[in-house]
Amino acid sequence: MSTPAASPAITEAGRRRILGAFFVARGSIGVGYLAGFIVLTIAGKELSGHAELAGWPAAISMVGRAIGPPPIARAMEVFGRRPAIAGSYALGAVGAATAALAVAAGLFWLLLVGSLLMGVARAGGDMSRYVAAEIYEPSRRGRAIGIVVWGGTAGAIGGPLLGGYAQELAGAGGLSPLAGPWFAAAGLLLFSALVTWAFVRPDPRDVADPTPEAAPADGEPTDLRGVLRDRRVQLGILAILTGQGVMTLIMVVIPLHLDSYADLGEAVPVAMTAHVAGMFALAPLTGRLVDLLGPRPMVLIGSVLLMLASALAAFDAGVGTVLPAMFLLGYGWNACFVAGSTMLARGVPLNVRARIQGRVEVLIGVVGVFSSAASGSLLAFGSGMGWLGAAGLISALLLLVALGWERSATRAAAGA
């Protein structure tokens, strides 16, 4: 296969090496992050001595996930993609080790510090999908993003397994069992940093295609504000945020909802497995479909699946509707996430690419926080899943309307 003229300094073998490094690193931090996350609220309760503070470490981790992207994006522009991503992983390793020490010492405030740094590392892992896409021409960027997102499957499967084993190992060694997963997470994050530093060469910034998929017309602004006025970019951002909002809104309360029924509590692991499978397992297929069909059809598919999942969840008919709803919810998110990310990777010039992508990652964190907070209230207010399903349905429908508006505006501009 020939190397595109837009990036002559990198070979096809170099692309595969960099993409493989990002995939391995993303999978490793996913395993480590989830291994620590499953004991986070338990550690928060034990260290604080108050059940009402149990969720603070998780909330602080989300704060780190939300505030991390801008400085990471700035570091990408100043120092390069490789040092910025590897540095975020190294910072996360420090955070995980800090959390382990906090558990060993019984210091709640130190656990919060570690959780914050872990959240920043999570942001770096999520942003690596954009960097992987930069080394490919626009027609192959969806596939690259899908492969990096696919790395999250390793975290979903390996995180709980590693967490349980690490707790047993720490207990056998005379440490608090809750410290074990965090020590394991520190090792995996350090491994991810080393893999990124060693194998992401040359730096993707130096070989990236500097132009968007469609070059700006003469006189068209290419600064930050000008690019954000591009309807394609707006649709990509909206697709990512809508998928995140609808997914979080319904997903976070499903365990609580099922557990409230005596005969459905055992279905929680099955429901979450179905959801995670929808989110990550088919990501490479989604990336290929984005490259083959284009991002817009996948946004359409994603919005329809989110609407269907919301409708099924609203029926509240037990496992018969919850399980398919959770899978469709996960894959609807996946389609919107991969397609929207590809639109940003394709449609933004190199000079502002990292800044725009960093701001979008902040918005993802903010949407996740607000959706999580709203979900419990809607569940309690509606005494069931009805209001949550309606909110998800309306949000996905608005994305569908935005897709039609963007398409008609693009056609009108082309015919002008």
Side-chain angles (χ1 to χ4, degrees):
M1 184 178 295
S2 62
T3 302
S7 52
I10 186 170
T11 64
E12 192 63 29
R15 290 192 182 89
R16 288 195 295 268
R17 182 184 65 252
I18 292 174
L19 182 60
F22 279 130
F23 172 79
V24 170
R26 182 66 184 85
S28 296
I29 71 162
V31 172
Y33 186 85
L34 191 57
F37 195 81
I38 61 176
V39 299
L40 191 54
T41 54
I42 301 173
K45 178 182 177 181
E46 289 197 4
L47 269 61
S48 68
H50 300 281
E52 59 270 22
L53 298 181
W56 276 42
I60 292 297
S61 179
M62 290 184 182
V63 170
R65 168 68 182 78
I67 67 175
I72 293 174
R74 180 59 178 166
M76 284 183 181
E77 292 184 338
V78 175
F79 303 109
R81 281 27 172 180
R82 178 172 60 97
I85 298 297
S88 72
Y89 294 161
L91 192 64
V94 173
T98 300
L101 294 174
V103 171
L107 297 174
F108 180 65
W109 67 268
L110 196 59
L111 179 64
L112 298 181
V113 173
S115 300
L116 181 72
L117 297 180
M118 281 288 289
V120 173
R122 172 67 185 275
D126 289 342
M127 292 178 71
S128 68
R129 71 186 189 276
Y130 295 121
V131 182
E134 284 188 318
I135 61 177
Y136 288 92
E137 63 270 29
S139 63
R140 297 170 66 191
R141 288 176 186 169
R143 193 175 312 177
I145 289 173
I147 289 175
V148 175
V149 172
W150 190 34
T153 309
I157 297 173
L161 295 175
L162 177 65
Y165 178 73
Q167 288 184 71
E168 294 178 4
L169 194 62
L175 298 173
S176 168
L178 297 180
W182 291 106
F183 280 122
L188 285 169
L189 278 156
L190 182 59
F191 170 75
S192 296
L194 293 174
V195 166
T196 303
W197 186 262
F199 294 103
V200 180
R201 296 173 182 272
D203 194 293
R205 182 189 63 175
D206 299 332
V207 296
D209 186 343
T211 60
E213 184 177 25
D218 291 339
E220 187 175 339
T222 58
D223 61 348
L224 188 64
R225 292 184 179 181
V227 172
L228 286 174
R229 287 196 293 268
D230 189 319
R231 290 184 179 88
R232 295 167 303 170
V233 174
Q234 292 173 357
L235 179 62
I237 295 172
L238 186 61
I240 294 172
L241 298 183
T242 301
Q244 183 73 19
V246 175
M247 185 272 290
T248 306
L249 189 71
I250 296 175
M251 179 270 294
V252 296
V253 297
I254 285 294
L256 178 63
H257 175 62
L258 291 177
D259 196 54
S260 65
Y261 294 90
D263 58 337
L264 295 182
E266 295 182 356
V268 172
V270 180
M272 296 310 294
T273 299
H275 179 63
V276 170
M279 287 182 69
F280 298 115
L282 299 178
L285 173 62
T286 307
R288 287 182 177 273
L289 290 174
V290 168
D291 287 340
L292 180 64
L293 304 175
R296 292 182 184 89
M298 292 308 296
V299 172
L300 172 62
I301 291 172
S303 60
V304 170
L305 291 179
L306 291 174
M307 291 172 64
L308 183 57
S310 300
L312 286 172
F315 278 126
D316 199 6
V319 175
T321 56
V322 167
L323 292 185
M326 290 299 282
F327 177 80
L328 293 174
L329 184 69
Y331 191 65
W333 170 87
N334 179 278
C336 290
F337 190 75
V338 174
S341 299
T342 303
M343 295 180 93
L344 296 185
R346 289 183 179 182
V348 179
L350 184 62
N351 64 306
V352 294
R353 193 173 291 166
R355 276 180 287 169
I356 287 180
Q357 292 165 351
R359 283 161 172 76
V360 171
E361 294 302 299
V362 172
L363 291 176
I364 291 174
V366 171
V367 167
V369 170
F370 278 100
S371 296
S372 299
S375 60
S377 300
L378 287 172
L379 180 67
F381 179 72
S383 300
M385 295 294 295
W387 284 105
L388 284 160
L393 187 65
I394 293 171
S395 299
L397 181 60
L398 291 176
L399 175 59
L400 201 61
V401 172
L403 177 62
W405 168 80
E406 188 274 341
R407 189 61 176 164
S408 61
T410 301
R411 287 178 176 175

